[in-house]
Amino acid sequence: MLNMLARAAALTLALMAGAAAAEPARVKVETGVLTGEAKDGVGVWRNIPYAAPPVGERRWAPPARAAAWTGERDATRNGPSCVQKMNADGTPNGGGANGPMSEDCLQLNVFAPEKARKAPVMVWIHGGSHREGAGWIYDGSAFARQGIVVVTINYRLGPLGYFAHPALTAAARKDEPLGNYGLMDQVAALQWVKRNIAAFGGDPRQVTVFGESAGGMSTLALLATPAAKGLYARAIVQSGGGWFAPTTLAARAEAGEKALAALGHAKASAADLRALPAESLVAGVGGSFGPFPDGRLLKETPSQAFAAGRAADVPLIIGWNSGEDSLMGPWRPEMINAVPAEARTVYAAEAARGDEALARAVFTDRAMGAPARWIARQAASGAPAWLYHFSYVGSRFRPFTDRAAHAAEIQYVFQYWGRRTPMSAVSEEDRAMAALMNGCWAAFARTGRLDCPGGQAWPAYSRDADTLLEFGRETSLRTGFQAGRLDFQEARTLPGLALP
């Protein structure tokens, strides 16, 4: 009897394995036929070129269209990450990337429901301080099972993605966009989606662009970029801040010239710069990276666009996490020097817990909380905007922290635990939070409204009500959440943003 049961169990497992095995999935896009995989109702196509390789003369140039291929292109394996600093031991870096990388990295991945037809589309822009990360890290299968087509993209990073130099300015054609090559890539990816996503069953008129951290900042920049108009219908910004310090192309070019001079290239021409090894540029050129006004592609900061009412008027979700201070890294006593003296009164409860608690609370509000609420306020006068605060701490982290670190919400949004989390560490409470957030985001992509699972209420933001949804151990609506603290940050920061 036991042998019969064992054989029956083995047969059942074999049948289940056979049912779950991936099958070829072919689709034709503008450049040729792709062969991906279909499994458990989801088709997946990886490493799809959306633009020509940005190498040689195409380094630091606007992206060009990808070339066609003959025959079928294998789309079952991940492509390389864009050039970035990788960990020497092969473990994922701060942006989650490891493995092969290349300058030839302008590719995307598609996750689609089988037999989809005019399905809503979500385009994910990864984070990583505009210097790390890759689209292939993120799995859109949970969204696909809810009827959403998901696209994850790569874009140029670091000094290959956001760089200006007088030699490049002099060599550029009149009115050619400069400096914001990563942002140009994102626009090109959205244009590719508009032209091709119907082949995967997606509706190009129902595109939601969403991203976290640098991806959230990029989403805000896209909302302020005229060339991106009409390429998306909705937007979600996760921990993307919202305040952009004003700068100019000339200032960025001067910084680029100094950086290259420090590497021994003081008199370099554009051709000389384009001949430098990509890895040496990434290793040697420091500073911050990200979208800035070049006067051509991006004519003003996203802060200025929102303040003037010139940002794209589309439904918007925006929010931040309770532990954004994880970006500060390990505590050092001198960090308290960045905290203004008057903050001790506004943050009295945190100050009573010591300098570290005070500095971390001020950082979270200044970098993410206050900008998110300010953007929601600016956007709320047009299409609806929704504000959230994510404070849920995963079960496995509760012995160590009471705050949700920067990027902690991503695995709940995607309902995918990634390569760093064993499923044995995921509790039923964690799964419930993932089902809620993934369901809210999917509902927004479908309708532009927040019809969350279980009837969870989430009203659109208004300045008068000042209500947000807190995703926490007890998910609930919060009115006037940390208003005094966020008002303090607005009063100190807004005057320096050169707003209209």
Side-chain angles (χ1 to χ4, degrees), residues 313-364:
D313 187 19
V314 297
L316 171 70
I317 296 174
I318 189 167
W320 79 104
N321 295 359
S322 59
E324 302 285 2
D325 59 275
S326 62
L327 290 169
M328 295 171 65
W331 171 250
R332 302 187 308 277
E334 61 268 25
M335 288 177 172
I336 194 62
N337 297 334
V339 177
E342 57 268 36
R344 291 187 177 275
T345 300
V346 179
Y347 292 81
E350 289 72 23
R353 292 166 53 197
D355 284 355
E356 181 175 359
L358 172 62
R360 290 186 177 279
V362 168
F363 177 93
T364 290

Side-chain angles (χ1 to χ4, degrees), residues 254-385:
E254 181 181 359
E257 185 175 30
K258 289 180 178 178
L260 268 295
L263 295 177
H265 307 290
K267 301 295 184 181
S269 66
D272 294 334
L273 296 176
R274 290 185 168 116
L276 293 172
E279 289 80 359
S280 68
L281 288 165
V282 169
V285 179
S288 61
F289 301 100
F292 65 92
D294 68 322
R296 302 179 183 188
L297 178 74
L298 191 59
K299 299 181 183 300
E300 59 189 339
T301 68
S303 306
Q304 292 166 337
F306 272 96
R310 289 189 287 265
D313 187 19
V314 297
L316 171 70
I317 296 174
I318 189 167
W320 79 104
N321 295 359
S322 59
E324 302 285 2
D325 59 275
S326 62
L327 290 169
M328 295 171 65
W331 171 250
R332 302 187 308 277
E334 61 268 25
M335 288 177 172
I336 194 62
N337 297 334
V339 177
E342 57 268 36
R344 291 187 177 275
T345 300
V346 179
Y347 292 81
E350 289 72 23
R353 292 166 53 197
D355 284 355
E356 181 175 359
L358 172 62
R360 290 186 177 279
V362 168
F363 177 93
T364 290
D365 290 352
R366 182 178 62 231
M368 299 294 179
R373 188 191 66 165
W374 182 81
I375 290 288
R377 284 180 168 183
Q378 308 313 305
S381 60

Side-chain angles (χ1 to χ4, degrees), residues 159-246:
L160 295 169
Y162 295 94
F163 181 75
H165 190 282
L168 297 176
T169 302
R173 298 187 306 273
K174 182 182 178 181
D175 298 327
E176 179 179 300
L178 292 163
N180 291 295
Y181 305 103
L183 182 62
M184 295 178 211
D185 295 342
Q186 294 160 14
V187 173
L190 288 169
Q191 290 170 337
W192 185 96
V193 167
K194 188 176 184 67
R195 297 192 305 268
N196 292 278
I197 206 64
F200 301 88
D203 185 348
R205 298 167 301 176
Q206 299 295 328
V207 173
T208 298
V209 61
F210 71 135
E212 184 271 342
S213 192
M217 292 178 67
S218 297
T219 300
L220 289 169
L222 288 167
L223 291 170
T225 300
K229 184 178 180 181
L231 299 178
Y232 53 84
R234 299 179 260 283
I236 303 173
V237 177
Q238 300 169 208
S239 298
W243 290 338
F244 291 70

